Amino acid sequence: MDSWRELAAQWLPDAHVGLAADASQSVHRRFKALLSSRSLPSEGWSDDDIRFLLYTLSRMDTNNFFHSTGVGEREGKVYSRIVQERHFGMAHGVGRAGDVSAAQPKAAGSSILATLANTFVASAIREAGLTTLRETVVVPVATGMAMTLVLLSLRQQMGPRRTRVLWPRMDQKSCLKAITAAGLEPVVVENVLEDDQVRTNVSAIEKLLQADADGTILCVMTTASCFAPRAPDRLEAVARLCKTYDVAHVVNNAYGIQCGKILLRDIDRSARVGRVDATVQSLDKNFLVPVGGAVIATLTCSSAPGSVCQNVRRAYPGRASAAPACDLFITLLSMGKNGFRKLLDERESLMEYMREHVEHVATRVGERLLRTPNNPVSMAITLRTVREPTRIGSMLFRRNVTGTRVVEATAVKEVAGIRFEGYGSHHESYPCVYLSFACAIGTTRADIEVFARKLEAVLQSAQVERVGNTADVLTLSADAEARRGDPL
């Protein structure tokens, strides 16, 4: 049978047809290279090439076959053309009832996409610094629910008697609810204050492990990435304890991939000397995609038995949405390793740029930047010279500044039936009110400059409201500057 190229040559010069054929095959050759290399390419692809590949994969799903006749209850039929286009025609999802990562017979293209997305994210995590990475699984739920899946997997693996989770206090509701949603009992370990930083109370964790004569502790859930003034948990020390006392260790590393030089290397060391069963990372916080996905990872050097990733894949009930994997696939293929590395390096350099700008603002208004050297992504500024400091957050929000948090040391809150003093500060008696913020991946120099300018304007405005006129503000700022060396 004549090929289309031979037939086209009857209409056009063969040289012209050959050139066109080579161009049309370029994406297919690059796609073949993706499948053979099993890695994220160094250079990103163009949007047009990515679209071409997506629609090529889409045509491999049965709902997009020519003259397809679907007579079941789930045949990839989509009413809205907008929805169809939003998902590139991929409507079957991924996985099967027995394994969320298994190939879906009705969706060969979607299955290939999901496999590549998982391959790409593993490659990106290694590029960021987690060299001991063994395997990953992308799940279509955000970080909190992903933590719940991990805990359920561990409970199934280690037996029903283990019902308690030691949890160095981290004032974020989803962390605590991840434990209770798994039907487990959280045991809150209060942190300690070191200078301005909130740090892990390792000795308290060890005492609880020593006292667990009945073997009811399932795991310790630590936190790697967090908002200042909390510092990342002492992962290496906790990992050694978990290995010694034979309990699991799960790391909430929600936005820690972007801090590879510090947090991922800390996880690496912890896996080598102790026990780390799994780490959980957010897709949106690390890879600039919409909310709705997470990646669970296990490590090669860890002394943890079994595989959490395999257990999660097999325990996941039913098929899963392909949307988070598709978003991740598109984004990482657009970045390539070099583009992702560039974003990581830019974020690291901008962290110091933000510190300098905010410290300058703090000096001008009589506040100070809290000393949190162990936190590589977040920082905080005191709010001692303003009346009603909780209004600062809303004032910034009205000026289109999002992501800041005002925390009062006197705040009391009940979460999952547990009462927390000083909620938000990760400590029961933090000594001052503060505003926290972060320099996350995707932040630009312009973002920092605008934030610093608006922060100074808001603080000065709040100080005017407190003392009544600008002259008094200048006096107040001068007095506060004289006290800058005093402890909190």
Side-chain angles (χ1 to χ4, degrees):
M1 182 180 295
D2 293 336
S3 69
W4 73 267
R5 178 172 176 173
E6 291 171 337
L7 293 172
Q10 299 175 15
W11 297 77
L12 299 170
D14 185 63
H16 297 179
V17 175
L19 188 63
D22 288 343
S24 66
Q25 288 297 313
S26 64
V27 175
H28 291 287
R29 287 194 294 269
R30 296 171 76 189
F31 178 40
K32 182 180 178 181
L34 290 181
L35 295 176
S36 62
S37 69
R38 299 176 181 268
S39 178
L40 182 64
S42 296
E43 298 298 330
W45 285 28
S46 71
D47 290 349
D48 287 341
D49 284 350
I50 293 174
R51 284 193 189 94
F52 183 86
L53 178 56
L54 287 168
Y55 281 115
T56 299
L57 292 171
S58 176
R59 299 304 303 177
M60 298 168 67
D61 289 1
T62 57
N63 60 299
N64 297 314
F65 287 1
F66 288 116
H67 308 301
S68 174
T69 303
V71 293
E73 84 288 354
R74 178 184 279 169
E75 301 305 321
K77 297 176 180 178
V78 178
Y79 175 82
S80 169
R81 184 68 180 174
I82 296 174
V83 174
Q84 178 85 357
E85 292 174 351
R86 175 175 177 252
H87 294 276
F88 299 94
M90 299 182 191
H92 278 294
V94 294
R96 305 186 72 178
D99 189 329
V100 74
S101 296
Q104 170 51 238
K106 297 179 183 178
S110 295
S111 298
I112 291 172
L113 182 147
T115 301
L116 283 173
N118 195 62
T119 300
F120 287 175
V121 77
S123 181
I125 293 173
R126 290 190 182 96
E127 177 68 22
L130 192 59
T131 59
T132 57
L133 181 70
R134 179 169 63 185
E135 60 181 328
T136 57
V137 56
V138 174
V139 288
V141 293
T143 312
M145 278 303 300
M147 294 290 291
T148 297
L149 291 174
V150 169
L151 293 173
L152 288 170
S153 169
L154 286 172
R155 189 176 187 185
Q156 186 178 40
Q157 175 184 315
M158 300 178 70
R161 183 178 62 180
R162 296 178 180 262
T163 59
R164 296 193 297 156
V165 176
L166 303 189
W167 179 60
R169 178 174 167 180
M170 167 66 185
D171 289 352
Q172 187 181 39
K173 293 178 184 178
S174 60
C175 304
L176 193 56
K177 291 166 72 174
I179 300 172
T180 57
L184 300 169
E185 176 191 350
V187 179
V188 181
V189 180
E190 288 290 347
N191 299 308
V192 294
L193 194 61
E194 296 180 4
D195 196 7
D196 291 342
Q197 287 193 123
V198 177
R199 303 302 311 270
T200 317
N201 191 338
V202 177
S203 62
I205 294 174
E206 184 167 20
K207 288 178 182 178
L208 288 167
L209 291 171
Q210 289 173 340
D212 186 35
D214 297 330
T216 60
I217 295 175
L218 174 69
C219 71
V220 181
M221 181 193 289
T222 55
T223 303
S225 54
C226 52
F227 266 82
R230 195 188 194 280
D233 280 319
R234 290 185 163 99
L235 302 181
E236 186 174 335
V238 174
R240 290 179 184 274
L241 291 177
C242 290
K243 181 178 181 179
T244 299
Y245 293 96
D246 192 27
V247 299
H249 181 197
V250 179
V251 181
N252 176 3
N253 190 39
Y255 43 101
I257 293 174
Q258 60 188 286
C259 306
K261 289 185 178 179
I262 297 177
L263 297 185
L264 293 187
R265 290 180 184 176
D266 195 11
I267 294 172
D268 255 347
R269 288 193 301 271
S270 301
R272 289 191 176 98
V273 303
R275 177 169 175 173
V276 179
D277 291 68
T279 68
V280 181
Q281 292 78 203
S282 164
L283 294 185
D284 63 279
K285 293 178 181 178
N286 290 288
F287 300 109
L288 304 176
V289 296
V291 174
V295 56
I296 300 167
T298 56
L299 312 176
T300 56
C301 295
S302 177
S303 62
S307 170
V308 170
C309 285
Q310 290 182 15
N311 293 339
V312 168
R313 286 199 296 262
R314 293 166 183 165
Y316 192 94
R319 285 191 223 175
S321 168
C326 187
D327 292 339
L328 182 65
F329 172 83
I330 293 169
T331 302
L332 287 177
L333 188 54
S334 179
M335 289 179 184
K337 281 185 183 177
N338 292 342
F340 184 54
R341 167 51 57 192
K342 181 180 178 183
L343 286 170
L344 297 179
D345 293 342
E346 287 176 349
R347 191 214 68 83
E348 186 177 356
S349 65
L350 287 174
M351 182 71 178
E352 187 57 35
Y353 189 68
M354 175 178 271
R355 191 185 310 279
E356 292 171 358
H357 273 65
V358 175
E359 194 157 27
H360 179 69
V361 170
T363 300
R364 287 172 60 87
V365 299
E367 300 288 357
R368 75 175 182 89
L369 195 66
L370 293 175
R371 296 178 290 274
T372 55
N374 295 98
N375 193 315
V377 70
S378 176
M379 56 192 82
I381 183 176
T382 61
L383 297 177
R384 296 178 299 181
T385 64
V386 298
R387 189 184 67 179
E388 298 182 73
T390 53
R391 292 181 57 231
I392 299 300
S394 61
M395 291 172 72
L396 287 168
F397 188 80
R398 286 197 300 271
R399 290 161 176 78
N400 297 324
V401 176
T402 59
T404 64
R405 303 180 186 185
V406 175
V407 178
E408 286 191 297
T410 57
V412 178
K413 197 173 191 68
E414 185 174 300
V415 182
I418 301 174
R419 178 185 170 90
F420 292 91
E421 301 285 342
Y423 189 80
S425 65
H426 322 284
H427 192 271
E428 55 192 354
S429 56
Y430 199 77
C432 74
V433 184
Y434 62 84
L435 176 82
S436 65
F437 41 90
C439 182
I441 190 169
T443 301
T444 65
R445 292 175 72 91
D447 290 334
I448 294 170
E449 291 162 2
V450 171
F451 168 61
R453 186 168 64 250
K454 291 184 177 182
L455 175 63
E456 183 170 1
V458 163
L459 291 176
Q460 288 179 340
S461 174
Q463 290 173 341
V464 168
E465 291 179 7
R466 175 181 178 181
V467 299
N469 60 68
T470 306
D472 289 340
V473 171
L474 296 176
T475 301
L476 179 65
S477 297
D479 291 342
E481 172 66 18
R483 298 194 303 269
R484 283 189 72 237
D486 295 342
L488 287 177

